[in-house]
Amino acid sequence: MKHRSFFWFVLPSALAMLLFIFFPIISVIVQSFHVEHEQVIKTVETCDLFGCKESTTIDQEATAALKEAKPLGQFAGFKTYLDRNHLATSEVSATWNRTNSWRDFGAQMLNLPFYKAIGFTLTFTFVVTPLVIILGFVIAVAVNSAAKRLRGVLIFFSLLPMMITPLVGALILFWMVDARGIIGTTLQYLAGDPDLSVKASTPLMWIMLMVYGVWHAAPFAFIVYYAGLQTVSQDTLEAARVDGANRWLQIRHVIIPHLLPLTTFIALMQLMDNFRVFEPIVSFAANAHATSLSWAIYNDLGGETRQLSSAAATSVLTILGVAILLSPVLVRTWREFDRK
Amino acid sequence: MSSKLKRQPPAISLLVFTVLAIWMILAAFPFLWTLWGSFKVEGDFFSKADWANAIKGTLTQAETGGSFTGDGYYGAWVQEEFWRAALNSVIVCIFVVSISLTLGTLGGYALARSTYRYAFWFLLAALIFRAMPPITLVSGYLPVFFQWNLWGHTATTIIVLVAINQPFTLWMLHSFFKNIPAELDESAMVDGCTRFQAFRNVIIPVMWPGVITTGLFSFLLAYNDFAVTAMLLSKENQTMIPKINSFLGTTQTKGNVMFAVSAVVSVTAPLFLMVLFFQRQIVGGLTAGAVKG
C-alpha cells in the first residue's frame, strides 16, 4: 500500500487517538507537576476611632486574574508526588525508622492511601489472573467433553458474567452477600456467627472482590481455551491413546502444550484488565477496606473539590505501573517482529 | 464425538457433570435470583428472617396484595426518570458504534494491507493505548474540558469513547482484514480502481461479518462504561450506568434499594438478548485475536 493512501486511510483514527489518548497523557503529566494557585492575600488597613488596624483578606480579583493568566496553576515539581497521598516519602522513612519488623512496617504502610491502593491493586492482579486461567481451563475441558447439543446452552450461560456491565455485575453479587442476602445469610449460618458481615471485615471484603474478579473474567479464558480445544489435532490425541496415555496424560502432554500460546494471550489481557480494577470497589462500597489506583483517581476527581493535580500524579504513577507490567510482553513482541 | 462420550468412564462423566453443574449455578443463578427478586418488595429481596420468603414473596403479598409487584420498576423508570438515562444510553451507543466502526474499518484495512514497518509501530502504539486505564485519561481531559466548556455534553463523551475504543477496534478489524485475500482488492486496482474505490466496491461488501463482531464489542464498551460517563456527563445527560450509581447514594431510605435492583435488571436485559442472538459472533470475536496468535 502506498504511503499516501495509507496516510489518508489511517488519519481519522490516528487523529482520534492522538487527541484523546496521547495528548491527555501529556496533559496528565504536565498537570501532575503543578498545583493550584494559592489565593492572593491583600492587607487592608482599616482605621477607626481607636486607631488603625491591619487585616488580611482574599483578593478575589487578583486570584481570578492569576488563574486566568496561568490556568495550570503554579509549578510544584515533584511536590505532589512526594506528599502524603502519593509516595509519602517522609512518612515512609519515619515508619521505617519506627518499626522493627517487616510485618509491622507493612501494616503501617497500608494506612497510607497510595500504598493501600497499590497493595490491593497488585494483590488483585496477581491473585485473580492465575485463578481465571485455571478456572477457565477447567470449564473449557468440561464443556468440551459434554454432549454436543448441550454446548450452546452451556456457552450462553457462561458468557453472562463477562458480558454484564462490571458495575452492575458487582452490584448483583453485592446484594447477595449482604448480611440480609442469600449468600450472606448462608455464610452466617455456616460460620455460626449471626453478626458476620462481609462489609465490616477487611479480609472478607478482599476475598469477595477477588471472587467477583474471577467470576467476571473466567468466561473470557474459557472461551479462548474452548476455541483452542477445537483445534487440537485428533491424530496426536489418537496416537497418545495408542501409546497408552490415560486422560490425565493426554491433557498434560498434548492439550496443555497446544494451549500454551493462548495462555500468554489470556495472561496479557487479564493483567491489563485486572490492573485497572475499579467498578467492583464502587459497587461493593469497599473503599474503607480496599482501594485501587483507578479508584483513587476517581475519588480525587469526583466530589466537591476536584483535586486535579493529585489525580494527575496518581494517573502518572498508574501509567508507569502499566508500563512496567507490559514491558516483558512489548519487548517480546518487538523481538518477534524483528526476527520476521 | 458421541462414541467418545460413550467411552468415558462413569467417574469422569460424574466429574464433568459436577464441574458443569457448579459453574452453571455460579454463572446463571445470581441473574435469575436478582430477576426474580426485582418483582418483590425490599423485605423479601433481603429476607433476614427466612430465605424462602424471597421465593414465595410473603411480605410482598402482605404489603401489595400480590406475589409480584412492579413497584421497583415504576419507581425507577417513572419516578426517578430512568427512561431519560436509557434514552441517553441509546444515543451514546448508536453514535459510538457507528463512528468507531467507520474510523476503524478505514484504519484497520490500511494496517492490514500496508507492508511497511510503520504499520507495525502504529499497532504497537495502539496496544499500549489499549492498556491505559480509561480513568487515567479522564484526569487529563477534565482541566481542558472545563477550560473550553466542553464538559457535560453528550457529544464530548461520544468522541472520547470512540477514541478509547479505537485501539481495540483497529486490532480486531486489522486481523479480520488480514483474512480477506489481498488479491481481491489488488485485482480491482489492476482493473483501474483507485485504492479507495477498491475498498468501497470490493472490500465493503465482504467485510460485514467482521464489522458486526467488532460492532458488538464497541457497543459493549460504550454501554458498560462507567469511568468516562460518570466523570464527563452532566446530571441530565447521564447514561444508565452512572445513573444506577447515583441511585446507590440515595438508597438508604426504604424502598429505594428496589429502584436500583429494577434498574440493574433493566440494564441486564438488553445484554442478555445480545448474547442470545449474537453468541456465535461474540465467541468468534473473543477468539479472533488469540487463536491466530
Side-chain angles (χ1 to χ4, degrees):
Chain A
M1 195 166 194
K2 282 190 205 116
H3 298 304
R4 238 184 100 85
S5 43
F6 179 83
F7 174 78
W8 288 111
F9 268 95
V10 166
L11 184 69
S13 174
L15 214 57
M17 289 199 287
L18 195 71
L19 282 178
F20 291 97
I21 302 180
F22 184 72
F23 284 169
I25 294 175
I26 305 291
S27 148
V28 162
I29 295 173
V30 173
Q31 185 72 39
S32 71
F33 288 112
H34 289 78
V35 291
E36 258 186 47
H37 291 291
E38 279 161 22
Q39 278 156 331
V40 183
I41 308 284
K42 64 177 175 188
T43 323
V44 190
E45 208 178 30
T46 42
C47 292
D48 55 16
L49 282 174
F50 305 102
C52 289
K53 257 193 284 182
E54 279 193 350
S55 61
T56 50
T57 52
I58 295 165
D59 188 341
Q60 301 288 0
E61 273 175 35
T63 310
L66 196 59
K67 268 193 185 152
E68 189 69 33
K70 284 186 182 172
L72 276 173
Q74 52 177 328
F75 184 76
F78 283 97
K79 201 176 122 210
T80 315
Y81 286 95
L82 302 179
D83 71 5
R84 193 184 179 278
N85 286 324
H86 299 88
L87 294 175
T89 35
S90 54
E91 283 84 354
V92 171
S93 59
T95 315
W96 180 250
N97 291 331
R98 201 170 55 237
T99 54
N100 38 24
S101 75
W102 276 105
R103 210 188 150 75
D104 201 17
F105 178 67
Q108 297 277 328
M109 291 288 280
L110 288 182
N111 290 330
L112 296 168
F114 179 76
Y115 293 98
K116 184 183 173 190
I118 202 164
F120 178 74
T121 308
L122 288 177
T123 315
F124 184 86
T125 308
F126 288 103
V127 170
V128 169
T129 307
L131 287 180
V132 161
I133 290 174
I134 294 167
L135 184 63
F137 177 75
V138 170
I139 302 169
V141 171
V143 170
N144 200 41
S145 36
K148 251 207 167 129
R149 61 201 150 79
L150 280 179
R151 289 187 198 173
V153 183
L154 290 172
I155 293 175
F156 171 75
F157 284 110
S158 301
L159 280 173
L160 290 178
M162 177 180 55
M163 289 303 166
I164 188 81
T165 316
L167 187 96
V168 164
L171 267 180
I172 289 178
L173 288 199
F174 177 62
W175 285 327
M176 290 174 81
V177 297
D178 187 278
R180 297 163 301 163
I182 181 159
I183 300 178
T185 325
T186 315
L187 284 178
Q188 286 168 353
Y189 175 75
L190 289 177
D193 174 7
D195 295 323
L196 183 84
S197 163
V198 174
K199 277 188 232 172
S201 144
T202 301
L204 281 180
M205 195 49 118
W206 280 45
I207 293 172
M208 201 49 228
L209 285 165
M210 289 180 207
V211 166
Y212 165 77
V214 175
W215 181 75
H216 177 65
F220 172 68
F222 152 63
I223 292 295
V224 173
Y225 278 137
Y226 179 74
L229 282 175
Q230 310 309 308
T231 60
V232 171
S233 149
Q234 290 302 317
D235 294 343
T236 321
L237 269 185
E238 192 62 48
R241 235 173 270 143
V242 170
D243 287 347
N246 60 24
R247 252 156 235 283
W248 165 241
L249 286 175
Q250 285 169 34
I251 289 185
R252 172 78 189 74
H253 292 288
V254 181
I255 293 179
I256 290 185
H258 179 78
L259 296 181
L260 210 57
L262 299 182
T263 308
T264 329
F265 168 75
I266 298 172
L268 166 69
M269 302 306 269
Q270 282 305 303
L271 287 178
M272 286 197 302
D273 287 348
N274 290 333
F275 194 74
R276 57 172 76 155
V277 53
F278 166 49
E279 281 102 335
I281 296 178
V282 175
S283 290
F284 284 35
N287 47 321
H289 306 291
T291 58
S292 72
L293 293 173
S294 293
W295 186 87
I297 301 170
Y298 170 79
N299 191 42
D300 277 345
L301 289 177
E304 297 287 293
T305 53
R306 296 180 186 264
Q307 294 166 302
L308 295 175
S309 303
S310 172
T314 314
S315 300
V316 173
L317 292 169
T318 309
I319 292 173
L320 286 178
V322 172
I324 294 170
L325 212 61
L326 277 186
S327 53
V329 186
L330 289 178
V331 169
R332 227 190 68 169
T333 322
W334 185 67
R335 279 211 194 115
E336 261 172 29
F337 183 80
D338 238 18
R339 238 181 279 137
K340 274 179 198 168
Chain B
M1 272 298 162
S2 57
S3 66
K4 192 182 155 197
L5 201 71
K6 268 177 213 141
R7 273 190 277 124
Q8 265 179 3
I12 300 268
S13 297
L14 189 70
L15 185 70
V16 165
F17 179 79
T18 322
V19 168
L20 287 177
I22 293 175
W23 170 242
M24 278 301 105
I25 292 170
L26 286 178
F29 176 69
F31 296 104
L32 300 175
W33 179 260
T34 310
L35 173 67
W36 183 264
S38 70
F39 292 101
K40 308 285 177 196
V41 295
E42 192 185 340
D44 278 334
F45 186 70
F46 291 118
S47 50
K48 177 89 180 156
D50 181 6
W51 64 269
N53 277 357
I55 296 173
K56 289 184 296 195
T58 318
L59 284 175
T60 313
Q61 226 144 22
E63 281 180 36
T64 63
S67 309
F68 296 98
T69 169
D71 284 356
Y73 290 91
Y74 181 83
W77 282 84
V78 181
Q79 211 172 311
E80 294 286 331
E81 302 201 318
F82 195 64
W83 59 269
R84 221 181 268 280
L87 198 65
N88 287 329
S89 275
V90 170
I91 295 171
V92 167
C93 288
I94 288 176
F95 280 101
V96 168
V97 171
S98 45
I99 301 175
S100 304
L101 287 179
T102 314
L103 304 192
T105 39
L106 290 171
Y109 172 71
L111 288 169
R113 289 293 183 261
S114 176
T115 46
Y116 293 103
R117 202 183 170 87
Y118 52 69
F120 166 77
W121 287 112
F122 196 95
L123 280 171
L124 199 66
L127 181 70
I128 295 171
F129 288 158
R130 156 77 174 79
M132 295 293 149
I135 189 93
T136 61
L137 300 176
V138 171
S139 55
Y141 302 138
L142 282 181
V144 184
F145 285 0
F146 282 137
Q147 187 82 11
W148 293 348
N149 258 337
L150 294 172
W151 186 84
H153 303 294
T154 314
T156 317
T157 305
I158 288 171
I159 297 175
V160 165
L161 284 175
V162 165
I164 290 180
N165 222 342
Q166 272 307 296
F168 173 79
T169 315
L170 280 179
W171 266 91
M172 200 140 163
L173 285 167
H174 152 258
S175 65
F176 176 76
F177 281 123
K178 274 240 141 114
N179 281 352
I180 298 181
E183 289 81 29
L184 211 63
D185 33 327
E186 271 158 20
S187 59
M189 286 167 70
V190 169
D191 290 346
C193 281
T194 63
R195 181 54 89 169
F196 188 74
Q197 282 170 333
F199 175 73
R200 220 191 99 85
N201 299 324
V202 182
I203 297 297
I204 287 186
V206 296
M207 73 178 184
W208 293 108
V211 169
I212 288 173
T213 306
T214 317
L216 286 172
F217 284 90
S218 301
F219 166 79
L220 273 179
L221 183 134
Y223 189 85
N224 285 348
D225 179 86
F226 172 65
V228 174
T229 46
M231 300 308 316
L232 291 187
L233 284 172
S234 59
K235 212 166 172 58
E236 60 272 22
N237 288 337
Q238 252 176 1
T239 51
M240 290 197 279
I241 309 301
K243 181 83 176 176
I244 287 180
N245 187 47
S246 57
F247 276 173
L248 292 179
T250 54
T251 47
Q252 300 314 320
T253 42
K254 199 195 170 202
N256 269 3
V257 174
M258 292 322 287
F259 293 3
V261 175
S262 319
V264 155
V265 173
S266 314
V267 167
T268 314
L271 292 171
F272 194 86
L273 291 177
M274 192 187 97
V275 179
L276 194 65
F277 289 114
F278 294 103
Q279 184 174 332
R280 190 182 297 272
Q281 283 83 353
I282 292 168
V283 173
L286 285 173
T287 53
V291 183
K292 275 172 254 127

